[in-house]
Amino acid sequence: MRLTIASLLTFVAAAVLGWAQTKSARTLDIYYIDTEGGLSALYLSPAGESLLIDTGNPGGRDTDRIMEVLNSAGVRQIDHLILTHYHVDHIGGLQELAKRIPIKHFIDHGPSVEPKEQVPGFQAMYAEMTAHAKHTVVKPGDRIPFAGVNVEVVTSAGETLTTPIAGAPGAGKPNPACAGFQPRDESRVDPDNHQSVGVVISYGKFRTINLGDFTYNREQKLMCPDNPIGTIDLYMTSHHGIDQSGSPALVHGLRPRVAVMNNSAYKGGPVQTMRTLYTSPGLEDVWQLHWAYGAGLEWNAPSAFIANVEDPAVLAGWLTGAGGRSTHQGKANLIKVSAEADGSFTVTNTRNEFSKTYAAR
């Protein structure tokens, strides 16, 4: 059979397109959903399996936003749900979410350590829910099955990983960022924050971390004197980017290339947090779910890296001292990450479709 130049070019183009589609389909996709300073993050494995970390606030707004992401990603069931801990901004949306989509596997740190529930009746409801599904209480060192992706538990129930993660770059080495660590007074920190389930998620050479609301002093226990985690590519700021977490011992020890902050306009992003991020060795960029009033004009990321920006009139009032607090209105934009097994990854701001690709290192 003879091939004309045109047909040969068509064949080559089809082959290239097919390769590109196959390549893009074999990514670990992460969706940092806007829950206004709560937490909900969706991870989709290259095989299409789903892992959701936390469910945001009660009231239906955050559930609607989570469902919009699940539907757009083609998710028909949540294969694994990690509840980092039992505070309202992390588990408030669970009851409504469970009515809308099947949840196959519940993962947590065990019972709450707080005598008064932030969501009244939650523990009884949760016990009933998990009685009819797979339920796992995890401890540091456990691995959560997630098709084609390694999920290793590094914190849970106040305990931390003590054995270096095998094969992780830098794992087990002394952490020089521990030298200047100063403990904080954490007497006013809600105790269940200390219990947070934290995980390191790896796909090939790409590595990211999610520690829920794990706290400042406990970060020293995890990271000092030796770093059992090693270096990572993407750091989701602990505790929404507030200064009860995110010590230099943690952030500088992990040496992330990119940080994503799951903040709201008034929660997360104080100057101390931003300074720790921007002085971290090797950090290239900070991405934010919201423009942060606490960071002011000097410390917020460039607007292209911020998914939800303040209304101009409200911001103008704040700048002149005439404005007050506002509630975010309109579409809730998110930050999406697509990671390749070679360690490269692309971050996209859905507000403006601005994206940046970080090459494998």
Side-chain angles (χ1 to χ4, degrees):
M1 181 179 68
R2 296 179 62 188
L3 289 175
T4 65
I5 294 296
S7 61
L8 182 60
L9 289 175
T10 300
F11 173 79
V12 171
V16 170
L17 178 60
W19 174 84
Q21 289 173 336
T22 301
K23 185 173 187 290
S24 63
R26 295 185 60 82
T27 56
L28 168 66
D29 292 332
I30 308 170
Y31 301 79
Y32 295 103
I33 303 167
D34 178 26
T35 56
E36 305 285 349
L39 174 59
S40 189
L42 173 67
Y43 300 76
L44 287 184
S45 78
E49 198 165 288
S50 59
L51 182 153
L52 184 70
I53 298 183
D54 289 339
T55 62
N57 296 280
R61 178 202 65 192
D62 290 355
T63 306
D64 289 343
R65 293 176 179 181
I66 294 168
M67 287 303 305
E68 181 179 356
V69 172
L70 292 172
N71 290 332
S72 66
V75 175
R76 297 294 175 258
Q77 69 177 29
I78 297 172
D79 296 302
H80 311 280
L81 172 64
I82 297 175
L83 297 181
T84 60
H85 62 297
Y86 303 114
H87 287 164
V88 63
D89 52 337
H90 292 257
I91 54 87
L94 175 59
Q95 191 167 10
E96 179 63 26
L97 184 66
K99 296 175 183 176
R100 303 196 199 182
I101 189 168
I103 303 172
K104 299 299 183 181
H105 183 197
F106 294 85
I107 301 161
D108 56 60
H109 67 67
S112 174
V113 299
E114 296 180 9
K116 184 177 180 180
E117 296 180 339
Q118 290 195 3
V119 178
F122 176 82
Q123 289 294 327
M125 179 273 294
Y126 186 55
E128 174 66 19
M129 189 177 292
T130 55
H132 303 286
K134 184 179 180 182
H135 177 213
T136 303
V137 175
V138 292
K139 61 183 183 301
D142 287 349
R143 290 191 175 185
I144 297 169
F146 188 40
V149 179
N150 183 53
V151 181
E152 182 143 2
V153 179
V154 296
T155 66
S156 184
E159 298 301 320
T160 61
L161 186 69
T162 56
T163 303
I165 296 176
K173 294 183 178 180
N175 179 2
C178 294
F181 186 88
Q182 295 293 326
R184 296 270 188 84
D185 177 7
E186 293 188 342
S187 60
R188 295 187 178 182
V189 177
D190 292 331
D192 212 50
N193 287 325
H194 310 318
Q195 307 293 302
S196 290
V197 174
V199 293
V200 171
I201 299 175
S202 305
Y203 173 50
K205 295 182 179 179
F206 173 80
R207 308 182 76 231
T208 184
I209 193 168
N210 186 325
L211 295 175
D213 285 1
F214 198 63
T215 50
Y216 197 96
N217 289 353
R218 269 69 178 180
E219 293 169 354
Q220 183 191 36
K221 181 180 178 182
L222 172 65
M223 297 292 293
C224 299
D226 297 332
N227 171 6
I229 294 172
T231 58
I232 62 167
D233 299 290
L234 179 66
Y235 167 61
M236 193 205 75
T237 58
S238 298
H239 217 157
H240 322 284
I242 71 173
D243 59 5
Q244 289 182 2
S245 302
S247 65
L250 174 72
V251 180
H252 295 191
L254 294 174
R255 298 178 64 95
R257 300 179 65 186
V258 170
V260 173
M261 187 161 62
N262 62 318
N263 65 313
S264 70
Y266 299 96
K267 183 179 181 181
V271 170
Q272 179 174 320
T273 294
M274 305 306 290
R275 182 181 288 117
T276 297
L277 291 173
Y278 280 117
T279 57
S280 182
L283 188 92
E284 298 178 43
D285 292 306
V286 175
W287 298 70
Q288 298 171 214
L289 278 179
H290 280 264
W291 196 87
Y293 277 91
L297 296 179
E298 288 79 13
W299 290 97
N300 271 284
S303 61
F305 294 79
I306 303 175
N308 299 284
V309 294
E310 186 59 277
D311 176 83
V314 175
L315 181 57
W318 175 77
L319 289 170
T320 61
R325 294 172 69 96
S326 67
T327 301
H328 174 65
Q329 303 294 327
K331 180 177 173 59
N333 303 297
L334 57 85
I335 293 172
K336 180 184 177 184
V337 177
S338 291
E340 303 276 356
D342 65 1
S344 63
F345 59 103
T346 299
V347 185
T348 301
N349 176 357
T350 64
R351 175 178 65 85
N352 52 16
E353 296 306 319
F354 170 74
S355 66
K356 182 173 178 179
T357 296
Y358 301 85
R361 62 180 180 182

